[in-house]
């Protein structure tokens, strides 16, 4: 059975509630903007490309009831919707890319009636969803060429169906290699503190009948030392013009380990994750999340003394020098990134 992470159904946003996995595959029907904001904040929907889809659908959800009588009033309402959704999480470029794209389409049609613009925005949101499905499959096709039969692959967080509309970026590469008949052994980092690797990646891979082994995040170095990892692949939340890449906290550590052990380290992401306005990773805003994610095991059992100081960044930045290649929907980009990213993305 194929599943969709997020879609428009019965006049509302239907999404998988990812906080319920792997115990239950449960769907949420999101009917208002506040519920969407909370779903994003609490990671009920998460993963950069899925957030791009949420942005498109969210803008339509926010303006479909507008009673604006002219474009200026409508544009003002649309800006408020975008500002509100933009305040949910700061790091994934795709969220902002989706909001900007919806705004531009609306403005490009300012001479049309408000009801026509609403229809155009609905079509644009559907296009964002469809483009994600296509671009993930392109990433998969480009990336699978870098993987061989019997490779053992380490990954972090969740970059699959649940992080996109229905396929995946880094996991999409793994799925495509598997579809091509390559036998891969996948090691999934649990991904503290919210356990996207343990809860979501292993769930997806097991559903597909693939060979997945769950490890604690601090086990990666030992596996590499024992020669058990042939390749590392991760997704991205935002990629700067020079290739510096923000992704789930712990990614840069894996990249450093991979460099030391001479293991290729790949990033997989669609072009909507690139932010060419920023020169390097220092300019990327890293989301800081609440302390209970660290002190309480997935919000349930306390595992740390009450009141302990907590540092809880959701992402880190991997310097471009540690990245062997960036696999995109336009092809595989290698060093020098500053030059090659611009020519690929043109
Ligand atoms: O905090 P999350 O779960 O939204 O973090 C997601 C990641 O870090 C993913 O690796 C990234 O968004 C790429 S998803 C294809």
């Amino acid at each position: 059975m194929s599943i969709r992470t997020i879609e428009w159904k019965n006049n509302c946003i239907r999404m998988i509630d990812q906080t319920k996995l792997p115990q239950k595959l449960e769907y949420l029907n999101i009917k208002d903007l506040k519920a969407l904001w909370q779903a994003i904040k609490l990671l009920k929907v998460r993963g950069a490309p899925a957030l791009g889809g949420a942005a498109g659908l969210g803008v339509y959800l926010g303006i479909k009831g507008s009673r604006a009588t002219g474009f200026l009033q409508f544009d003002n309402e649309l800006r408020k919707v975008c500002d509100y959704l933009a305040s949910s999480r700061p790091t994934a470029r795709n969220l902002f890319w989706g909001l900007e794209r919806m705004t531009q389409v609306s403005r490009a049609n300012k001479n049309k009636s408000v009801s026509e613009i609403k229809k155009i925005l609905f079509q644009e949101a559907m296009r964002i969803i469809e483009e994600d499905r296509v671009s993930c499959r392109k990433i998969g096709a480009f990336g699978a060429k870098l993987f061989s039969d019997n490779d053992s692959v380490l990954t972090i967080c969740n970059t699959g169906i649940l992080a996109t509309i229905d396929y995946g970026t880094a996991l999409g590469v793994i799925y495509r290699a598997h579809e091509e008949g390559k036998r891969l052994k996948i090691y999934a980092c649990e991904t503290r503190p919210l356990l996207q690797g343990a809860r979501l990646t292993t769930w997806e891979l097991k559903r597909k009948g693939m060979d997945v082994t769950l490890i604690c995040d601090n086990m990666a170095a030992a596996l590499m030392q024992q020669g058990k990892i042939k390749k590392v692949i991760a997704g991205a939340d935002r990629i700067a013009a020079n290739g510096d890449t923000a992704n789930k906290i712990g990614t840069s550590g894996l990249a450093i380990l991979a460099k030391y052990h001479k293991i290729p380290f790949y990033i997989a992401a669609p072009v909507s994750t690139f932010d060419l306005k920023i020169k390097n990773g220092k300019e990327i805003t890293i989301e800081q999340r609440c302390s209970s994610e660290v002190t309480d095991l997935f919000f349930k059992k306390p595992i740390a003394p009450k009141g302990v100081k907590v540092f809880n960044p959701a992402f880190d930045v991997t310097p471009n020098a540690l990245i062997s290649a960036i696999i995109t929907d336009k092809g595989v980009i290698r060093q020098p990134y500053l030059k090659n990213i611009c020519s690929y993305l043109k």
Side-chain angles (χ1 to χ4, degrees):
M1 182 195 53
S2 68
I3 53 171
R4 282 213 173 195
T5 300
I6 181 164
E7 63 185 331
W8 186 260
K9 206 167 181 181
N10 299 332
N11 215 25
C12 63
I13 299 176
R14 184 175 191 256
M15 63 169 72
I16 294 175
D17 182 348
Q18 300 192 30
T19 59
K20 296 276 161 53
L21 285 169
Q23 281 80 15
K24 277 187 250 161
L25 177 57
E26 222 172 80
Y27 289 84
L28 287 170
N29 293 315
I30 303 276
K31 297 190 175 111
D32 64 79
L33 222 50
K34 192 166 175 218
L36 179 61
W37 190 94
Q38 272 165 345
I40 295 173
K41 186 78 186 169
L42 297 175
L43 275 58
K44 290 173 189 287
V45 60
R46 46 147 298 281
L51 294 180
L57 296 174
V59 169
Y60 179 67
L61 182 74
I63 56 82
K64 77 180 172 66
S66 164
R67 288 164 186 241
T69 47
F71 181 74
L72 279 182
Q73 193 188 352
F74 181 75
D75 188 53
N76 204 20
E77 289 175 14
L78 186 128
R79 198 159 26 84
K80 282 192 187 136
V81 168
C82 290
D83 288 349
Y84 180 58
L85 290 176
S87 70
S88 57
R89 295 188 76 190
T91 307
R93 168 66 193 143
N94 309 58
L95 174 69
F96 300 85
W97 165 88
L99 299 175
E100 287 161 20
R101 182 165 156 172
M102 296 293 278
T103 305
Q104 275 160 16
V105 165
S106 172
R107 291 188 181 161
N109 288 283
K110 65 178 179 196
N111 294 327
K112 303 213 166 79
S113 70
V114 167
S115 71
E116 274 177 299
I117 300 174
K118 284 187 197 172
K119 274 189 209 135
I120 290 168
L121 286 173
F122 179 71
Q123 285 157 3
E124 194 63 19
M126 293 301 117
R127 214 168 283 137
I128 290 175
I129 299 280
E130 196 46 40
E131 283 175 18
D132 180 79
R133 301 184 64 238
V134 173
S135 73
C136 283
R137 283 158 180 85
K138 285 188 184 160
I139 292 169
F142 285 123
K145 294 195 179 78
L146 303 171
F147 288 75
S148 312
D149 193 23
N150 289 317
D151 266 352
S152 48
V153 184
L154 180 67
T155 191
I156 182 167
C157 197
N158 171 268
T159 57
I161 296 167
L162 295 164
T164 59
I165 301 304
D166 69 350
Y167 196 69
T169 57
L171 278 194
V173 170
I174 287 170
Y175 290 150
R176 176 60 185 256
H178 176 73
E179 284 154 24
E180 290 174 2
K182 293 172 186 164
R183 285 157 297 181
L184 302 182
K185 182 169 182 55
I186 315 302
Y187 287 95
C189 289
E190 61 175 347
T191 319
R192 276 276 292 150
L194 294 181
L195 307 172
Q196 290 93 329
R199 296 185 300 108
L200 309 177
T201 295
T202 56
W203 180 79
E204 276 197 39
L205 291 168
K206 272 173 84 24
R207 260 183 101 248
K208 288 197 182 259
M210 294 178 65
D211 178 357
V212 59
T213 304
L214 175 64
I215 63 162
C216 297
D217 297 330
N218 54 7
M219 296 170 185
L223 273 180
M224 290 187 190
Q225 213 166 46
Q226 291 162 23
K228 289 200 172 132
I229 304 295
K230 291 286 169 264
K231 273 146 202 164
V232 181
I233 187 162
D237 276 81
R238 195 179 287 250
I239 304 175
N242 72 343
D244 287 354
T245 295
N247 189 52
K248 181 50 57 197
I249 188 77
T251 305
S252 67
L254 295 181
I256 292 165
L257 289 172
K259 186 81 163 181
Y260 179 82
H261 290 285
K262 301 187 172 52
I263 297 166
F265 176 91
Y266 299 119
I267 290 291
V271 295
S272 47
T273 304
F274 286 78
D275 186 352
L276 300 187
K277 290 193 294 304
I278 59 168
K279 287 197 284 299
N280 58 51
K282 289 198 187 101
E283 294 176 49
I284 299 177
T285 305
I286 300 293
E287 177 183 13
Q288 296 289 329
R289 295 189 56 89
C290 77
S291 58
S292 62
E293 292 178 352
V294 175
T295 55
D296 295 16
L297 200 55
F298 201 56
F299 305 116
K300 285 188 185 114
K301 273 196 183 133
I303 54 164
K306 218 171 167 215
V308 68
K309 275 200 281 181
V310 168
F311 177 57
N312 186 16
F315 303 97
D316 61 20
V317 175
T318 301
N320 66 46
L322 301 177
I323 301 171
S324 314
I326 305 178
I327 305 159
T328 75
D329 39 340
K330 293 222 173 160
V332 177
I333 311 178
R334 292 185 188 270
Q335 295 276 13
Y337 288 119
L338 196 54
K339 177 169 160 269
N340 292 340
I341 284 176
C342 286
S343 49
Y344 267 89
L345 265 51
K346 248 191 270 157

